Amino acid sequence: MSTIALFGANGTIGSRILNEALRRGHRVTAVVRDPAKITTTDEHLTVTTGDILDPASVAAAAKGRDVLVSAVGGGDGPGHIATIRPAAESLVAGLRTLGDAAPRLLTVGGAGSLRTPDGKQVWDAEGLPEFLLQIMHAHGDALDFYRSVSDVRWTNLSPAATIEPGERTGSYRTATDDLVTDAGGHSRISTEDYAVAVLDEIERPRHLGERFTVGY
């Protein structure tokens, strides 16, 4: 079993990652600003405070762990701009201080930069609201940063175009930079199955140093 430090464990996606990790028997340290917001209890769960934008806090959370997971979001568009790439830079800076003892890094990404069947990118679609474009490009900027990093073992997981709470089926398909769509052209994944993909990657790493995506 792995030891996992998880930032953003109280969010929509982070809480599913937490539940999936505990379901499989991993030891998880949930790193949050307000521990009172974590209502899950489990013998394999520890809750601690931390700030993802502080490299020293990142290093403290990551030290001695096998994997560091970030499921931190930013709420609205400006919130994502202020959080996602700065968090990426802080995560990498914190892990670098641990040298060879640094754990792997797995981060929740966005779908905006994925290629669509027509050869464009998701964020090129007409009519997207400004706040959504801000969220997409915040994740795209973070991915650009990760792709410049060669001294930290990172993985960025983009969801399908639509991700929302639903059923845990345990099934999904993967791609690297191309949007995963079904026979009807729809791209979707439940937060529960997205969490399954996160834990599968933790247990059997296949995408070190790259972005991949999941969908039905």
Side-chain angles (χ1 to χ4, degrees), residues 32-55:
V32 292
R33 286 180 291 184
D34 182 4
K37 291 185 177 180
I38 300 294
T39 58
T40 300
T41 58
D42 189 280
E43 63 177 336
H44 291 155
L45 172 63
T46 302
V47 182
T48 187
T49 57
D51 181 1
I52 197 170
L53 298 180
D54 177 6

Side-chain angles (χ1 to χ4, degrees), residues 81-156:
I81 292 172
T83 303
I84 302 303
R85 173 150 181 165
E89 294 172 348
S90 177
L91 287 164
V92 169
L95 290 175
R96 280 174 170 158
T97 67
L98 301 179
D100 292 341
R104 288 186 287 132
L105 172 64
L106 198 157
T107 59
V108 172
S113 59
L114 293 167
R115 285 191 300 260
T116 56
D118 61 5
K120 297 181 179 180
Q121 289 173 289
V122 172
W123 57 38
D124 293 324
E126 294 184 3
L128 294 176
E130 180 61 23
F131 83 89
L132 186 56
L133 288 170
Q134 290 175 330
I135 291 172
M136 289 179 173
H137 283 285
H139 281 290
D141 288 345
L143 178 59
D144 286 342
F145 169 71
Y146 286 128
R147 284 173 166 164
S148 74
V149 173
S150 59
D151 57 341
V152 169
R153 297 173 296 160
W154 63 269
T155 299
N156 184 260

Side-chain angles (χ1 to χ4, degrees), residues 5-62:
L6 172 60
F7 280 93
N10 58 324
T12 301
I13 295 177
S15 62
R16 270 69 176 188
I17 294 172
L18 173 61
N19 290 339
E20 183 68 22
L22 295 175
R23 174 191 180 114
R24 301 189 190 199
H26 297 289
R27 294 190 176 274
V28 183
T29 299
V31 189
V32 292
R33 286 180 291 184
D34 182 4
K37 291 185 177 180
I38 300 294
T39 58
T40 300
T41 58
D42 189 280
E43 63 177 336
H44 291 155
L45 172 63
T46 302
V47 182
T48 187
T49 57
D51 181 1
I52 197 170
L53 298 180
D54 177 6
S57 184
V58 169

